[in-house]
Amino acid sequence: MPSNRQAPRGLPEHNQQSVTQQWLAILSVAVGAFALVTSEFLPVGVLNDVASDLGISAGLAGLMVTLPGIMAALAAPLISVGVGALDRRYLLIGLTLIMIIANTIVAYAVDFNLLLVGRVLLGVSIGGFWATAIALSGRLAPDGMGVAKANSIIMAGVTLATVVGVPVGTWLSGLMGWRMTFLVTALVGIPVLLAQVFLLPRLLPEKAIRISDLPALFINPQARIGLIAVLLIGLAHFAAYTYVAPFFKQNAGFDGPTIGSLLLLYGVAGFMGNIFAGYAANRSVRHTLMLVALMIAVSTALFPHFATGMTGAAMLIALWGFAFGAFPACANIWMFVVAPKDVERGMPLFVAMFQVIIALGSFFGGQVVDHMGTAVLLSLATALVGCGFVTVLVLGRNVSNNLAAQPG
């Protein structure tokens, strides 16, 4: 194995790169994270089109969200442990390539089964990329940048994809059709892949992750409280939000362009929520997470009654978007606050849990929508978010921020 100061020809170490190269390298990972997570959530905005084109129900089409979540949940810990001492540079490049192939398969799928094959491949890419990229953020940080700030750059790609991917996908689908939406996402991945090939430095692991390291966050009592709250709030969100587009079409009677505009409003509000969380959660992650839960609960509770009109729909989807835009940041900051030494070891299982939330939420939501309707789904989501709020309020009362001691 080459020493840390002797990189293979044409492949520099991080400290041998210029600051510009370092910035471009970390941005290539951030944009890669954006493309991956955008791919994951694209079906939410095009479920109606896919279901109509393939002659299936909206609930069955929801498997496009469920299956990648299941595969990502499995891939995150298995890949993190299985790759051993492999240079993480090659892992990131390989996962980006899988994302391109997966979206291409979906774009050209002749039936729903082949489409699901592409979505399963995407899940493998998502799980491995999330678990790897976040853990490597400190090692990719440009000179003079702290670990926390480097992490926030990569997480910005994830968060923006979470809140912007759906409206962008819906907009593109309206212009070019749902298949072209996935093909465009695959094409976006090509320059990202090339940037990673030419810009990423060697990223040999300092220590291989062992299976015994994975439960680190689940063992920590205060981290476990946060995990329970994230589970309840996230499950409610993904169960309900996955079927927002069908609600707008079937219950409110909105057309495609109107739904796209509302989801774009959700994305803009979510971006603002992400910025808000960066300030608020760094001061009191407990109170910020409680506020997020309260806003989501208000949105889901009022949706069946007021989101059938344009004004009510716009106000509630914006509130919902703002709240969820802040949610991923709150979840991560909670872990850094209560268990900073366990985050890197526990990240693969944390990513796995988050993907299980997405999969279970979309599946549970699909079953309720198909059998009881979206109004019942939204009521159940409100109850779950309420349980998450109570968890943070009661069990998390001893959690307070002490971020001054953290680097960056």
Side-chain angles (χ1 to χ4, degrees):
M1 180 181 298
S3 69
N4 286 338
R5 304 190 66 84
Q6 287 183 319
R9 185 172 56 186
L11 188 58
E13 298 285 350
H14 176 266
N15 59 9
Q16 295 173 327
Q17 293 181 307
S18 68
V19 173
T20 299
Q21 289 174 320
Q22 292 172 350
W23 268 104
L24 291 173
I26 196 170
L27 287 175
S28 74
V29 176
V31 177
F34 174 84
L36 276 163
V37 182
T38 296
S39 301
E40 181 174 17
F41 291 107
L42 272 180
V44 176
V46 299
L47 278 184
N48 292 326
D49 296 333
V50 174
S52 176
D53 188 30
L54 299 179
I56 58 178
S57 69
L60 184 59
L63 287 174
M64 294 177 68
V65 180
T66 302
L67 284 183
I70 293 172
M71 289 307 303
L74 294 173
L78 290 178
I79 290 176
S80 297
V81 174
V83 294
L86 176 70
D87 189 334
R88 285 352 185 211
R89 173 184 187 272
Y90 298 116
L91 178 59
L92 290 174
I93 291 170
L95 292 169
T96 301
L97 178 60
I98 291 174
M99 181 268 291
I100 295 171
I101 295 171
N103 281 326
T104 303
I105 290 175
V106 172
Y108 289 103
V110 295
D111 56 38
F112 191 56
N113 290 331
L114 183 57
L115 183 150
L116 291 181
V117 170
R119 298 300 290 173
V120 166
L121 281 176
L122 181 71
V124 173
S125 181
I126 291 169
F129 198 95
W130 270 46
T132 304
I134 296 173
L136 290 174
S137 57
R139 296 178 60 190
L140 287 170
D143 291 342
M145 176 183 290
V147 175
K149 292 180 180 178
N151 183 272
S152 70
I153 290 175
I154 293 176
M155 281 306 301
V158 174
T159 303
L160 283 174
T162 304
V163 299
V164 176
V166 173
V168 169
T170 306
W171 177 69
L172 286 175
S173 179
L175 290 177
M176 302 179 293
W178 68 268
R179 292 182 183 275
M180 281 300 297
T181 301
F182 286 96
L183 184 58
V184 167
T185 308
L187 293 175
V188 168
I190 294 175
V192 173
L193 177 67
L194 293 175
Q196 291 173 356
V197 169
F198 290 106
L199 294 170
L200 286 180
R202 294 176 70 219
L203 293 168
L204 290 174
E206 296 177 359
K207 180 182 178 182
I209 297 177
R210 300 171 300 178
I211 295 178
S212 59
D213 293 327
L214 296 177
L217 293 174
F218 291 78
I219 295 172
N220 184 297
Q222 289 185 320
R224 194 160 56 239
I225 293 168
L227 290 171
I228 293 171
V230 169
L231 174 64
L232 292 168
I233 298 169
L235 186 64
H237 166 80
F238 288 110
Y241 183 63
T242 303
Y243 300 95
V244 160
F247 175 89
F248 281 147
K249 180 178 181 179
Q250 298 165 10
N251 296 65
F254 297 152
D255 58 18
T258 300
I259 294 174
S261 298
L262 288 169
L263 293 178
L264 182 60
L265 176 61
Y266 170 93
V268 172
F271 179 73
M272 300 304 295
N274 181 48
I275 295 174
F276 165 78
Y279 291 96
N282 275 324
R283 286 159 178 77
S284 176
V285 68
R286 176 173 175 262
H287 290 111
T288 306
L289 187 55
M290 288 170 59
L291 179 61
V292 165
L294 181 62
M295 288 190 289
I296 294 177
V298 168
S299 301
T300 54
L302 297 182
F303 225 76
H305 309 289
F306 297 100
T308 52
M310 190 62 192
T311 301
M315 292 177 64
L316 289 174
I317 200 68
L319 180 65
W320 195 342
F322 184 90
F324 188 73
F327 180 66
C330 288
N332 282 288
I333 292 173
W334 183 290
M335 300 306 156
F336 278 107
V337 167
V338 303
K341 296 181 180 179
D342 296 326
V343 171
E344 184 172 351
R345 294 183 300 140
M347 185 57 66
L349 210 57
F350 180 69
V351 169
M353 189 197 80
F354 207 86
Q355 293 301 321
V356 167
I357 291 171
I358 296 172
L360 288 180
S362 59
F363 177 78
F364 169 73
Q367 296 302 305
V368 175
V369 165
D370 282 351
H371 294 93
M372 291 179 281
T374 51
V376 174
L377 173 61
L378 290 164
S379 297
L380 291 174
T382 303
L384 279 176
V385 176
C387 291
F389 178 89
V390 172
T391 298
V392 178
L393 176 67
V394 178
L395 300 180
R397 59 184 178 274
N398 294 324
V399 173
S400 61
N401 286 52
N402 186 20
L403 297 177
Q406 295 185 23

